[in-house]
Amino acid sequence: MLANTGELPSWISRLNLSLEASLTGNSRFSPTYGRNTYEGTNAFELGSIVQKGMANTRITWEKQRQLDFGIDLSLLGGLADLTATVFTNESYDLLLVGRSASSVFGNTSFYDNLGSIRGKGLELGLRLNPIHTKDFDFTLGATFTTVSNKVHSLGGDQQMVLGYNGYANDDATMVMAVDHEPYEFYGYETRGIFSTTADAQAANLRNVDGVAYEAGDVWFVDQNGDGIIDSKDKVSLGSPLPQFYGGVNLSVRYKEFVLDANFGYSVGAKLYNGTRRQVESMDKFYNQSTAVLNRWQIEGQEATLPRATYGDPKGNNLFSDRWIEKGDYLKLRSVRLTYNFEKLFSLVRSGSVFVAAENLFTLTKYLGSDPEFAYSYDERLRGFDYAKVTLPITAKVGFNLNF
């Protein structure tokens, strides 16, 4: 504590500096990645045992090294506290499916320690207590965190395209690309809906089957200018990682009453609304949302959704920025009002009564039920919204008695 050395001004109550370095490993992956495994099958109506996965006995743990520098500062006898941490890290020997092998082995790829990701970030914390008297106390706290992660290496490749079809045969796609954030969404960019036949003819675009787009179809962006919308026109659609996030805490005390509130926020993340895609695709006889009432129906109509076509022959519902939304939000996580008292009926020495609530409101433009969710522990599925149950709004009334 440098404040105790006598070398700092008296208005600095505490000053701590810290420097930390760490090296950790991650072994949460399945041990079968490094073993030869087999499974039973009925090939050619004969009971057989075939190789299930190609083993790589040379794989090791994923590793991460990190360096942190921090400062902890208290001013004016605790009226203001500030903490700041700057860090840099590198995750390397990442286990990815990327090595190709001959199909004679029964698999065309296998896991290997291929990638590395480098990151840097800043964490800030501020606590203000400008008013502190016998009858009134006011405290305000806030946190701010920003992290930037970039793929540094993919074992010699410049990018890896990863698909996910584990939900309703989805075609959601992510990309790992050098100098980009990990697991960015990867799909088609759109310009809206062709409102007239003339617009569609002027664009002169065809889908991968060579069929021309018509009025009421989605206007995809032809990135390479060849007049055909295919996989060569896919681009990054954004990252599910926020640019910054944090929280705000408020505590106000007036005599025996105490009000506490806790807010959380996140800015800059992109989210894949897979649930909305299911209820706005209009390509099957499934129930759809009321949003499809604004679909294209007549020549010249300015619509936000394409025409309804069974089976989606034009590919209007391909994985595109139609399904990617901004995930910014401000949420009231909890609020609590407490009344403290002493000597009640000569039996109770002290106690308190409180009213509390959680998840009362969320300010967001995200069209899903809640922009704060985690569909899976798998990092590839960060930002995938497949209608997980959201955090409920709860209310509580309680008391605490000391006899």
Side-chain angles (χ1 to χ4, degrees):
M1 298 181 64
L2 298 181
N4 292 337
T5 64
E7 301 296 329
L8 297 176
S10 60
W11 51 271
I12 298 181
S13 307
R14 183 179 69 248
L15 176 59
N16 295 333
L17 303 177
S18 63
L19 182 64
E20 298 181 5
S22 63
L23 176 63
T24 57
N26 176 18
S27 63
R28 68 176 177 84
F29 292 89
S30 171
T32 58
Y33 293 169
R35 299 176 184 173
N36 288 302
T37 57
Y38 301 86
E39 64 179 349
T41 185
N42 190 27
F44 305 106
E45 297 185 356
L46 297 173
S48 307
I49 296 178
V50 298
Q51 188 173 15
K52 182 179 181 180
M54 184 176 299
N56 181 1
T57 58
R58 297 174 299 176
I59 60 176
T60 63
W61 289 4
E62 293 183 338
K63 305 175 184 67
Q64 183 184 72
R65 50 191 170 211
Q66 181 162 324
L67 182 65
D68 297 22
F69 174 74
I71 181 172
D72 179 10
L73 181 65
S74 181
L75 306 175
L76 302 174
L79 293 181
D81 295 332
L82 173 67
T83 60
T85 301
V86 179
F87 63 87
T88 178
N89 58 48
E90 180 182 17
S91 300
Y92 58 101
D93 285 342
L94 300 181
L95 279 171
L96 301 171
V97 180
R99 296 299 189 191
S100 299
S102 171
S103 58
V104 72
F105 294 103
N107 293 274
T108 58
S109 61
F110 58 91
Y111 281 91
D112 203 357
N113 296 105
L114 295 178
S116 66
I117 298 175
R118 293 180 178 177
K120 56 185 178 180
L122 171 66
E123 297 177 347
L124 296 176
L126 176 65
R127 177 183 176 275
L128 300 176
N129 186 204
I131 303 175
H132 181 69
T133 66
K134 177 181 178 181
D135 292 334
F136 189 77
D137 186 86
F138 176 82
T139 303
L140 177 66
T143 61
F144 172 90
T145 301
T146 180
V147 181
S148 175
N149 291 312
K150 302 292 183 182
V151 176
H152 177 66
S153 172
L154 290 172
D157 296 330
Q158 287 302 303
Q159 74 174 31
M160 295 175 59
V161 178
L162 309 170
Y164 179 74
N165 59 4
Y167 177 82
N169 294 319
D170 207 344
D171 65 340
T173 310
M174 299 78 68
V175 63
M176 292 272 284
V178 174
D179 295 329
H180 287 257
E181 293 191 2
Y183 302 115
E184 293 180 346
F185 296 117
Y186 190 65
Y188 298 98
E189 187 180 0
T190 63
R191 296 180 56 182
I193 308 297
F194 289 119
S195 63
T196 65
T197 300
D199 290 340
Q201 291 176 346
N204 193 27
L205 297 176
R206 298 178 181 272
N207 67 9
V208 69
D209 296 320
V211 181
Y213 290 98
E214 304 174 77
D217 288 329
V218 174
W219 190 340
F220 292 102
V221 176
D222 184 16
Q223 302 289 345
N224 60 0
D226 63 357
I228 300 175
I229 302 301
D230 55 17
S231 60
K232 297 177 183 177
D233 297 305
K234 291 184 177 182
V235 295
S236 171
L237 302 178
S239 170
L241 299 174
Q243 295 177 359
F244 60 89
Y245 60 92
V248 177
N249 301 302
L250 174 68
S251 179
V252 179
R253 178 184 60 82
Y254 177 69
K255 295 186 177 180
E256 286 77 23
F257 290 93
V258 180
L259 175 66
D260 295 299
N262 179 21
F263 296 85
Y265 67 88
S266 177
V267 176
K270 295 296 182 66
L271 306 178
Y272 167 44
N273 196 335
T275 306
R276 184 169 66 84
R277 187 181 184 187
Q278 289 293 312
V279 298
E280 293 184 11
S281 291
M282 300 177 289
D283 59 348
K284 297 181 179 67
F285 296 120
Y286 294 164
N287 290 335
Q288 301 288 278
S289 74
T290 56
V292 303
L293 297 175
N294 195 33
R295 68 187 183 276
W296 186 93
Q297 299 180 66
I298 59 175
E299 182 79 9
Q301 178 184 356
E302 296 291 338
T304 57
L305 272 68
R307 57 197 176 109
T309 52
Y310 182 79
D312 192 23
K314 295 295 183 65
N316 288 323
N317 299 317
L318 291 172
F319 188 71
S320 68
D321 57 9
R322 288 184 59 202
W323 317 116
I324 306 300
E325 303 179 27
K326 292 182 178 180
D328 303 349
Y329 68 84
L330 172 64
K331 175 178 290 190
L332 176 57
R333 299 192 187 279
S334 64
V335 60
R336 179 182 178 119
L337 178 62
T338 305
Y339 174 73
N340 300 300
F341 58 86
E342 297 181 359
K343 297 181 180 180
L344 180 64
F345 302 126
S346 71
L347 296 176
V348 179
R349 180 163 47 91
S350 63
S352 62
V353 179
F354 69 87
V355 178
E358 297 178 351
N359 305 309
L360 277 183
F361 71 84
T362 301
L363 300 179
T364 182
K365 293 184 178 180
Y366 181 63
L367 298 178
S369 58
D370 192 339
E372 186 180 28
F373 56 83
Y375 176 72
S376 170
Y377 70 87
D378 192 335
E379 292 182 353
R380 296 177 303 164
L381 303 183
R382 182 191 294 268
F384 278 59
D385 186 359
Y386 287 139
K388 294 285 281 187
V389 177
T390 60
L391 296 173
I393 297 176
T394 61
K396 303 176 183 177
V397 178
F399 60 88
N400 179 28
L401 302 178
N402 299 315
F403 296 95

